[in-house]
Amino acid sequence: MNNLLLTPIEYLKGVGPSRGELFRKELGIHKYGDLINLYPNRYIDRTRYYKINKLQNTTAEVQIVGKIIHIKTVEFGKNKKRLVASFVDDTGQMELVWFQGHKWIKESLKLNEVVVIFGKCTSFSGQFNMAHPEIEPLSEHQQSLRSAMQPVYPSTEKMTNRGITNKLVNKLMQQLFIETQALFIETLPDYLIDELKLISKKEALFNIHFPKSTDALAKAEYRLKFEELFYIQIQLILKNLIQKHKIKGHPFTKVGELFNDFYKNHLPFSLTGAQKRVIKEIRTDMGSNAQMNRLLQGDVGSGKTIVAFMSILLAIDNGFQACLMAPTEILANQHFIGLSELASKLNLNIKILTGSSKIAARRIIHEELENGSLQILIGTHALLEDKVKFQNLGLAVIDEQHRFGVEQRARLWRKNVIPPHILVMTATPIPRTLAMSLYGDLDISVIDELPPGRKPIQTVWRYDSNRLKVWKFLRDEIAKGRQIYIVYPLIQESEKMDYKDLMDGYESISRDFPLPHYSISILHGKMKPADKDAEMKRFSEGKTNIMVATTVIEVGVNVPNASVMIIESAERFGLSQLHQLRGRVGRGAEQSYCILMTSHKMSTDSKTRMETMVGTNDGFEIAEVDLKLRGPGDLMGTQQSGILNLQIADIVRDKDILALGRNYAQRVLADDKPLAKPEHAIIKNIYLELTKKKNIWNYIS
């Protein structure tokens, strides 16, 4: 690194202590090196000049050559002032307006000097005005280092109000290049630069700030994006390798009686090729001396539970206990019912522990866990309590892990001297690009085919005005002996309103589907766990035809006879949630349907979501669209949105560069894991710098 880049920012000519403080607080810029990495948000073409009589009322930014002929201060409102200047060119006159910073602006304005103004124009009572324009003498404008493509830098309101304009940042950037003489050290090995035909670091930095053409800018962006994504992948892959080397696991060398007995005699259906491949990957992991950390992704209904159960059998065959942790009681119960059925065929001891487990039951669980006679424990967060002590926990399966915080998962690790193997399951398909970035240090298995005999769910989108036809369809389905879900949105902030929507919906459905011909269950978050279970039980036993619910049923509810899912106000749901809800039907051999009900008033994004749902059943395709619509931060929820704090790359738009970066990172580390070769000295130095920074990447997973 050029040592000058470590210089505190206030020493740069034109900055000084008070501006330095603003740079630090507002943009986190402490040193010269931070400023050089402040990349522009966008670029403006400064080669075109407009005339006042040709101005249009658009949002475009324009530049005009002319002069200021008059300046005045105008009072408006209560104790408010604005500074107004009359600006003319050879075709007309307009006003320049400032609402803040009057004193220093007034001092800097010169009358009758030929200047170039730049900004957005708005028309007011037939006259154009420009608020807070950038102004620069024509002579300076022509001489400056500025190219046709002018960069626009990130800023904050506070900085603009204190006079740190885009023009000033541009000037400071020029000063920085002069002071450092653009002596930027190369950050990638020569062979990588040659192979990928990248421009040098020095050239890339110059062209990102002062591009002479769109072509030069494209090359600079490509080079800097590749570098950023490449180093993220180096960190993640090394973290995985170090973890495997450092964190020892229990080697499950035996594929024993239980596993074989179940595989040969008790499998409820034959495994798909994808399930077999995933089980093999898990067996290989658990058979080594390293702790397994694997993410198992599979679309709704792809058979993740069977894979998890067979992994549990491997642990028990090797003399260990296993647990499965789910985020809600409903889901934990669902897993318990499903796995008990499988475990009973092998005479295994399996129990469930949730917040509502009785004291007497808890006592037995604690005792049997410690003496080793309890082989499988299913539960919620209750598994994390200090009282829950295993004799020898060998495998922990975590379902829908994005709902658990990092700290909660760590508490599970600490239940053993040697940490258990970890299998994380999710039915939320994570786009490959996001998985590479968020879970790059986990090994990923994907079940990408559905069990045979499953018919794809037919999805249709209907407006509220079509309700009568939809209801007729429901009556026909019920007459065939099928069951129906009708789901209402639940958005935490407006719980009262949602509860009212649900109850109004329930009442009108009760009128349209009256007793004794029809019976209806209801399920929502305000009910006691015992009442929820009772309603679920009635529905799953076929005693009720219709289940009216909030999104409580989104995860894990399994009623094979339910063949229709109606989603009310579908425009209020996110794509992945719509896909999860749709997955509650289509679990039997019959044709299933998902009907999205919306109003006519919808945003463009909502329409895209509906069209995507109607167009595909592929969870990964849906996740890609969701990622484009919402961005990575929203998709992963608040816990993890800070992770992708990238300076220049965008994991949605630049997914090809991300894949290339990961590819090259894997190649480098496969060839030279300790980065000891002379040509990898650069990579090693930068990797050490990055790990010193303790950035967010060190806390993933």
Side-chain angles (χ1 to χ4, degrees):
M1 193 190 246
N2 179 337
N3 283 340
L4 272 169
L5 293 180
L6 301 173
T7 312
I9 196 67
E10 55 267 34
Y11 292 108
L12 183 67
K13 189 180 172 192
V15 179
S18 64
R19 278 178 177 167
E21 189 60 17
L22 265 179
F23 270 115
R24 271 196 293 276
K25 280 189 175 153
E26 296 293 299
L27 294 176
I29 290 172
H30 298 261
K31 303 183 180 82
Y32 281 22
D34 299 329
L35 185 62
I36 208 89
N37 291 322
L38 178 72
Y39 300 129
N41 286 336
R42 58 198 171 90
Y43 298 82
I44 296 153
D45 184 356
R46 296 295 290 256
T47 53
R48 192 167 170 206
Y49 300 91
Y50 288 77
K51 293 289 184 187
I52 291 174
N53 68 346
K54 290 278 191 286
L55 290 175
Q56 302 279 331
N57 207 0
T58 68
T59 56
E61 289 164 307
V62 297
Q63 57 185 2
I64 308 162
V65 181
K67 52 192 177 182
I68 291 169
I69 53 168
H70 182 251
I71 305 168
K72 63 181 176 185
T73 304
V74 179
E75 293 197 7
F76 70 103
K78 206 175 179 183
N79 306 326
K80 288 180 183 171
K81 288 180 182 176
R82 64 172 177 252
L83 187 65
V84 180
S86 303
F87 179 82
V88 296
D89 71 358
D90 52 6
T91 70
Q93 179 170 334
M94 63 185 288
E95 285 187 340
L96 310 180
V97 190
W98 292 268
F99 298 95
Q100 276 126 356
H102 301 170
K103 191 168 171 286
W104 67 267
I105 289 168
K106 202 170 183 180
E107 284 167 12
S108 68
L109 297 177
K110 290 185 182 137
L111 294 179
N112 298 312
E113 178 187 34
V114 182
V115 292
V116 178
I117 64 165
F118 174 77
K120 280 182 190 166
C121 287
T122 45
S123 167
F124 188 70
S125 308
Q127 186 181 22
F128 275 96
N129 66 51
M130 190 184 280
H132 289 263
E134 277 187 32
I135 299 180
E136 135 179 86
L138 182 63
S139 53
E140 258 182 53
H141 177 80
Q142 286 164 337
Q143 281 169 14
S144 74
L145 182 68
R146 272 189 194 170
S147 53
M149 310 271 301
Q150 173 147 358
V152 178
Y153 290 96
S155 185
T156 65
E157 200 178 336
K158 206 173 199 175
M159 292 181 80
T160 314
N161 292 347
R162 296 275 291 276
I164 299 182
T165 58
N166 193 55
K167 181 182 158 191
L168 178 74
V169 176
N170 211 309
K171 240 181 182 159
L172 293 174
M173 206 60 85
Q174 293 177 35
Q175 183 59 33
L176 185 59
F177 272 78
I178 293 162
E179 286 191 29
T180 56
Q181 298 173 347
L183 293 172
F184 305 118
I185 287 170
E186 190 44 74
T187 45
L188 289 171
D190 293 344
Y191 76 88
L192 265 187
I193 293 171
D194 294 343
E195 219 173 291
L196 291 161
K197 297 185 174 56
L198 300 173
I199 59 173
S200 69
K201 177 75 170 201
K202 179 179 170 176
E203 217 182 323
L205 286 172
F206 187 84
N207 280 306
I208 203 84
H209 294 295
F210 314 111
K212 289 276 179 268
S213 66
T214 48
D215 184 48
L217 175 63
K219 284 180 176 158
E221 284 184 336
Y222 189 86
R223 151 74 213 230
L224 294 168
K225 286 174 175 181
F226 174 81
E227 180 183 335
E228 181 168 41
L229 295 167
F230 170 76
Y231 276 109
I232 281 165
Q233 295 304 326
I234 286 278
Q235 288 181 76
L236 288 170
I237 296 163
L238 269 175
K239 183 168 184 251
N240 187 347
L241 293 171
I242 289 165
Q243 198 169 4
K244 282 184 174 160
H245 180 66
K246 262 195 189 162
I247 304 181
K248 294 284 173 257
H250 304 286
F252 295 169
T253 48
K254 207 163 74 177
V255 176
E257 266 170 52
L258 291 167
F259 184 94
N260 287 324
D261 179 20
F262 181 76
Y263 186 72
K264 286 174 191 152
N265 308 317
H266 305 294
L267 259 182
F269 46 77
S270 49
L271 297 178
T272 62
Q275 285 173 314
K276 286 178 182 166
R277 185 188 67 240
V278 168
I279 290 171
K280 200 172 170 190
E281 289 166 352
I282 292 169
R283 270 177 53 182
T284 307
D285 271 8
M286 298 205 299
S288 77
N289 282 323
Q291 180 208 19
M292 171 172 81
N293 257 316
R294 192 165 276 282
L295 173 69
L296 173 58
Q297 281 185 266
D299 221 335
V300 179
S302 61
K304 293 183 298 296
T305 314
I306 266 294
V307 169
F309 183 68
M310 291 178 77
S311 308
I312 286 170
L313 294 182
L314 278 173
I316 300 170
D317 269 336
N318 282 274
F320 287 89
Q321 295 163 301
C323 70
L324 186 152
M325 186 161 84
T328 63
E329 287 207 9
I330 282 194
L331 188 49
N333 277 315
Q334 191 75 41
H335 277 308
F336 180 64
I337 294 161
L339 294 183
S340 296
E341 209 176 297
L342 301 173
S344 65
K345 295 170 182 168
L346 303 167
N347 297 321
L348 290 173
N349 184 1
I350 178 171
K351 288 197 164 61
I352 183 167
L353 178 66
T354 66
S356 44
S357 297
K358 302 275 186 291
I359 292 174
R362 280 169 187 262
R363 207 171 285 139
I364 295 167
I365 288 172
H366 293 159
E367 212 171 284
E368 291 187 351
L369 267 188
E370 287 195 57
N371 68 30
S373 60
L374 178 55
Q375 291 144 311
I376 308 169
L377 180 61
I378 313 288
T380 54
H381 297 78
L383 298 190
L384 302 172
E385 291 165 7
D386 292 337
K387 284 180 193 154
V388 179
K389 293 188 175 71
F390 291 83
Q391 187 188 59
N392 55 355
L393 179 62
L395 171 68
V397 181
I398 300 173
D399 199 13
E400 293 303 332
Q401 73 96 39
H402 58 278
R403 295 168 182 234
F404 293 105
V406 176
E407 180 47 38
Q408 290 171 316
R409 298 204 298 276
R411 280 168 64 187
L412 202 50
W413 279 212
R414 295 196 281 268
K415 299 229 174 244
N416 263 33
V417 184
I418 293 182
H421 293 294
I422 304 295
L423 181 65
V424 167
M425 299 199 297
T426 180
T428 309
I430 302 161
R432 237 184 113 242
T433 43
L434 203 54
M436 278 193 274
S437 303
L438 284 168
Y439 301 111
D441 60 335
L442 288 178
D443 297 304
I444 299 178
S445 288
V446 180
I447 303 181
D448 48 13
E449 55 183 303
L450 288 179
R454 288 270 174 102
K455 291 183 181 149
I457 300 160
Q458 280 186 21
T459 304
V460 293
W461 168 23
R462 297 285 180 262
Y463 290 115
D464 291 335
S465 48
N466 298 107
R467 195 169 290 278
L468 287 173
K469 279 186 182 166
V470 172
W471 267 200
K472 182 188 178 307
F473 174 70
L474 296 192
R475 289 191 186 96
D476 293 347
E477 282 296 297
I478 292 170
K480 291 180 198 165
R482 314 265 185 273
Q483 288 166 285
I484 320 283
Y485 290 111
I486 302 179
V487 178
Y488 285 81
L490 174 67
I491 298 164
Q492 241 49 50
E493 294 89 88
S494 57
E495 216 169 281
K496 283 197 182 91
M497 187 177 93
D498 288 322
Y499 183 65
K500 186 179 175 302
D501 282 355
L502 178 80
M503 296 323 282
D504 289 352
Y506 177 68
E507 279 167 27
S508 75
I509 291 162
S510 301
R511 282 194 298 275
D512 291 334
F513 294 88
L515 286 162
H517 302 296
Y518 304 97
S519 69
I520 302 169
S521 281
I522 187 164
L523 194 65
H524 57 81
K526 291 190 168 175
M527 291 164 72
K528 292 192 175 91
D531 296 341
K532 279 187 199 168
D533 290 344
E535 284 295 283
M536 250 340 289
K537 198 165 178 241
R538 284 177 65 211
F539 186 66
S540 58
E541 287 171 357
K543 290 175 182 163
T544 56
N545 319 98
I546 299 173
M547 163 70 78
V548 178
T550 58
T551 48
V552 176
I553 64 141
E554 174 191 343
V555 174
V557 175
N558 187 13
V559 180
N561 189 46
S563 65
V564 184
M565 164 67 68
I566 305 255
I567 303 175
E568 294 284 355
S569 308
E571 70 273 22
R572 283 171 65 187
F573 290 90
L575 253 181
S576 61
Q577 206 176 18
L578 288 169
H579 181 60
Q580 287 280 335
L581 286 167
R582 170 166 66 186
R584 296 302 109 221
V585 294
R587 296 181 156 247
E590 305 306 329
Q591 178 60 58
S592 288
Y593 306 88
C594 174
I595 303 172
L596 309 168
M597 302 294 294
T598 71
S599 63
H600 279 278
K601 273 189 196 165
M602 288 170 82
S603 67
T604 323
D605 278 6
S606 296
K607 283 184 178 144
T608 307
R609 289 201 293 271
M610 299 309 123
E611 284 158 4
T612 306
M613 285 294 292
V614 172
T616 181
N617 279 316
D618 181 339
F620 288 93
E621 206 176 306
I622 286 167
E624 289 286 355
V625 177
D626 207 16
L627 184 59
K628 278 181 192 142
L629 290 177
R630 294 200 290 163
D634 286 344
L635 204 63
M636 298 318 296
T638 45
Q639 281 177 321
Q640 291 173 322
S641 58
I643 286 170
L644 299 167
N645 217 344
L646 301 175
Q647 283 178 312
I648 190 165
D650 173 309
I651 67 157
V652 182
R653 284 199 299 271
D654 304 320
K655 61 181 185 201
D656 295 345
I657 309 177
L658 173 64
L660 189 71
R662 185 162 178 89
N663 215 329
Y664 271 91
Q666 280 168 332
R667 242 177 72 178
V668 166
L669 293 169
D671 168 49
D672 178 20
K673 186 177 146 192
L675 297 173
K677 290 187 175 180
E679 64 268 32
H680 293 148
I682 289 176
I683 300 178
K684 188 166 193 171
N685 290 340
I686 290 174
Y687 168 71
L688 293 172
E689 279 297 311
L690 288 166
T691 47
K692 251 190 245 164
K693 279 184 186 166
K694 280 271 180 281
N695 66 356
I696 189 88
W697 295 100
N698 298 344
Y699 302 110
I700 298 180
S701 321

